[in-house]
């Protein structure tokens, strides 16, 4: 009893020094849900630099300081979970250059969107292992195309554990069930395999270094019902921004979870960011992963013809022709509901930065960190880390 009392007193004293934080020497209070610094989540690895979702891209992200590495899971024909953003392998691999797979090219619908390419569900893992990853963005380095292999979910779990041991840091992983309804309809459901792999890894708890995410609530709810006890994140998408009003626009396939479309539910993702939507998410998830424009949107300048102006006169209309507007209350609303907030995706390219960020991605992170986001999905871990260091310093940490 006495020992306990002393321990409590010591904790209280520490907290007076470190937790109140308003004194001249104490650090200021952070607005994150748990009061800790925001996480830097390497979206698809260091995808700004290397072909995404490869061990090489994850290694680089960890070298640049990422707290968490993020991956999308799709299924192979033989039911193995692999890290790819899309079932369509043409987008992120060199499959088009492999003549022996030419006959497997086809045009199908994925979540209501017509796509032509080669699909993971038509390839065994052994076949996919003969492919190389490629950059998914023509503006980014292309010289590594075809050099790095596609990896399985299990390989990533093993890799993260090895890297944690090697670096002495906890490297968390952030897998997403991608197109879960699409794969279930093909007889290749992913959820039981995700739960089994996490359980076998010894990570089936809220405190384990893992976050499980999906755009489809049904996928998260199913895994929770099957005993998944990790942190769960509901992703919230949108298509674009109306440059005149700053309002979110919605279009297939990012208008709503595909399971809703299939069930005839015509609501869009925006219902998830209302207080009622957040309360519903809290019944099955621990956090939200909204498109960042739900927190700070942008507006363009509109010409006499009603169309957005090419303000920087580079012949294109994009984010660089717009400025950011006052933030919404989403972070505070989500925190009030007990949900943490990890917005996506932060990128360095100037065409993807509102004009008021002056072509420096750090200025964008600074806004979101100050608003209290609990983490950021970034393609450029180093920029997110540099901005976080500056932010924490400004907060006396
Ligand atoms: Ca993802
Ligand atoms: Ca422009």
């Amino acid at each position: 009893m006495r020992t306990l009392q002393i321990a409590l007193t010591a904790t209280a004293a520490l907290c007076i020094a470190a937790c109140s934080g308003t004194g001249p020497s104490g650090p200021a209070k952070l607005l994150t849900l748990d009061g800790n610094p925001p996480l830097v989540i390497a979206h698809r690895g260091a995808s700004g630099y290397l072909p995404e979702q490869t061990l090489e891209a994850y290694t680089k992200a960890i070298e640049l300081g990422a707290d968490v590495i993020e991956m999308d899971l799709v299924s192979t024909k033989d039911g193995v979970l692999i890290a790819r953003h899309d079932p369509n392998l043409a987008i992120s691999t060199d499959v088009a250059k492999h003549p022996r797979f030419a006959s497997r090219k086809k045009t199908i619908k994925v979540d209501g969107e017509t796509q032509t390419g080669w699909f993971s569900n038509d390839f065994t893992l052994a076949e996919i292992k003969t492919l190389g990853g490629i950059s998914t963005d023509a503006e980014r380095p292309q010289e590594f195309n075809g050099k790095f292999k596609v990896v399985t979910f299990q390989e990533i779990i093993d890799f993260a554990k090895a890297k944690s041991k090697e670096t002495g840091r906890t490297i968390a992983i952030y897998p997403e069930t991608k197109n879960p309804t699409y794969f279930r309809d093909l007889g290749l459901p992913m959820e039981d395999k995700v739960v089994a792999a996490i359980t076998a890894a010894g990570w089936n708890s809220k405190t384990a270094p893992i976050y499980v995410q999906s755009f489809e609530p049904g996928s998260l709810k199913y895994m929770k019902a099957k005993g998944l006890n990790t942190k769960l994140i509901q992703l919230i998408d949108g298509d674009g921004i109306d440059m005149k009003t700053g309002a979110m626009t919605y279009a297939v396939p990012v208008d709503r979870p595909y399971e809703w479309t299939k069930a005839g539910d015509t609501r869009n993702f925006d219902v998830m960011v209302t207080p009622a939507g957040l309360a519903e998410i809290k019944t099955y998830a621990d956090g939200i992963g909204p498109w960042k424009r739900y927190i700070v949107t942008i507006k363009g300048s509109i010409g006499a013809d009603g169309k957005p102006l090419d303000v920087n006169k580079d012949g294109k209309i994009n984010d660089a022709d717009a400025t950011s507007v006052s933030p919404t209350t989403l972070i505070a609303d989500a925190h009030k509901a007990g949900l943490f907030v990890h917005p996506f995706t932060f990128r360095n390219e100037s065409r993807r930065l509102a004009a008021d960020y002056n072509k420096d991605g750090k200025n964008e992170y600074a806004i979101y960190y100050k608003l209290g986001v609990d983490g950021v999905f970034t393609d450029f871990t180093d920029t997110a880390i540099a901005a976080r260091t500056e932010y924490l310093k400004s907060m006396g940490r």
Side-chain angles (χ1 to χ4, degrees):
M1 216 35 197
R2 189 174 154 72
T3 315
L4 180 65
Q5 228 163 19
I6 289 165
L8 283 174
T9 309
T11 307
L14 273 176
C15 206
I16 289 161
C19 304
S20 63
T22 47
S25 57
K29 192 175 178 294
L30 302 182
L31 293 179
T32 49
L33 186 60
D34 62 5
N36 289 325
L39 294 167
V40 172
I41 305 157
H43 179 245
R44 314 187 199 176
S47 52
Y49 302 107
L50 294 172
E52 65 192 47
Q53 317 219 21
T54 59
L55 291 189
E56 290 79 2
Y58 292 126
T59 298
K60 182 155 181 93
I62 292 164
E63 283 168 5
L64 295 176
D67 304 303
V68 187
I69 52 172
E70 193 263 358
M71 68 268 337
D72 304 286
L73 302 178
V74 301
S75 181
T76 65
K77 183 182 179 180
D78 45 349
V80 182
L81 301 177
I82 57 169
R84 286 291 97 187
H85 185 260
D86 307 272
N88 188 346
L89 298 170
I91 297 170
S92 67
T93 78
D94 59 6
V95 64
K97 290 188 173 168
H98 291 249
R100 76 178 178 116
F101 298 133
S103 64
R104 288 189 216 174
K105 188 178 185 182
K106 62 187 189 186
T107 299
I108 61 165
K109 278 197 169 181
V110 179
D111 291 6
E113 182 189 45
T114 301
Q115 294 189 16
T116 297
W118 291 259
F119 296 86
S120 66
N121 42 282
D122 291 329
F123 290 76
T124 64
L125 176 64
E127 289 170 336
I128 288 172
K129 282 285 187 184
T130 68
L131 308 177
I134 60 169
S135 170
T136 56
D137 187 327
E139 288 174 75
R140 295 181 179 172
Q142 305 296 313
E143 63 264 38
F144 307 102
N145 287 356
K147 295 197 167 139
F148 310 141
K149 298 283 177 226
V150 174
V151 283
T152 66
F153 183 38
Q154 187 59 52
E155 285 168 335
I156 291 173
I157 291 172
D158 297 341
F159 168 84
K161 287 187 171 191
K163 280 289 173 189
S164 294
K165 199 173 279 183
E166 181 190 318
T167 60
R169 293 153 45 198
T170 300
I171 308 298
I173 69 167
Y174 210 132
E176 174 182 349
T177 54
K178 206 71 207 289
N179 308 99
T181 293
Y182 167 85
F183 283 107
R184 193 171 307 117
D185 289 350
L186 289 166
L188 294 167
M190 295 188 280
E191 287 84 0
D192 287 322
K193 288 167 189 162
V194 172
V195 176
I198 291 169
T199 304
W203 279 349
N204 193 14
S205 76
K206 290 283 177 217
T207 53
I210 182 164
Y211 300 76
V212 179
Q213 50 170 339
S214 189
F215 282 109
E216 295 198 18
S219 185
L220 295 174
K221 288 176 182 172
Y222 177 91
M223 290 187 283
K224 189 178 171 73
K226 285 285 178 168
L228 186 63
N229 195 34
T230 62
K231 296 175 279 286
L232 299 175
I233 294 82
Q234 175 65 55
L235 300 172
I236 306 173
D237 217 343
D239 182 58
I241 296 297
D242 178 335
M243 291 284 254
K244 193 170 179 178
T245 63
M248 187 90 50
T249 59
Y250 295 91
V252 173
V254 289
D255 46 356
R256 65 180 69 90
Y258 182 63
E259 61 180 309
W260 290 9
T261 299
K262 216 183 144 187
D265 184 339
T266 57
R267 295 174 301 158
N268 288 330
F269 271 115
D270 56 352
V271 297
M272 290 185 176
V273 301
T274 63
L278 294 168
E280 156 67 9
I281 291 170
K282 181 61 184 170
T283 65
Y284 61 88
D286 305 280
I288 56 170
W291 184 24
K292 65 186 177 184
R293 296 284 177 248
Y294 281 104
I295 297 168
V296 179
T297 190
I298 53 171
K299 268 191 203 177
S301 300
I302 306 301
D305 60 357
K307 290 182 180 157
L309 291 172
D310 180 12
V311 175
N312 65 1
K313 307 214 183 305
D314 66 352
K316 294 164 195 155
I317 304 288
N318 51 41
D319 292 9
D321 299 306
T323 50
S324 52
V325 304
S326 298
T328 66
T329 58
L330 178 57
I331 297 173
D333 294 347
H335 285 175
K336 208 178 290 171
L339 296 162
F340 56 76
V341 183
H342 295 166
F344 64 86
T345 299
F346 291 77
R347 298 176 164 123
N348 281 6
E349 288 90 0
S350 60
R351 72 174 174 91
R352 290 166 156 154
L353 293 169
D356 47 307
Y357 298 137
N358 297 316
K359 300 184 182 177
D360 183 351
K362 290 212 298 297
N363 294 326
E364 184 179 33
Y365 295 101
I367 301 275
Y368 286 79
Y369 290 154
K370 272 183 211 145
L371 287 169
V373 292
D374 303 281
V376 289
F377 286 90
T378 177
D379 288 356
F380 296 86
T381 291
D382 45 352
T383 310
I385 293 279
R388 184 175 69 178
T389 302
E390 285 177 18
Y391 164 66
L392 293 175
K393 198 173 165 198
S394 76
M395 299 295 278
R397 295 182 181 230

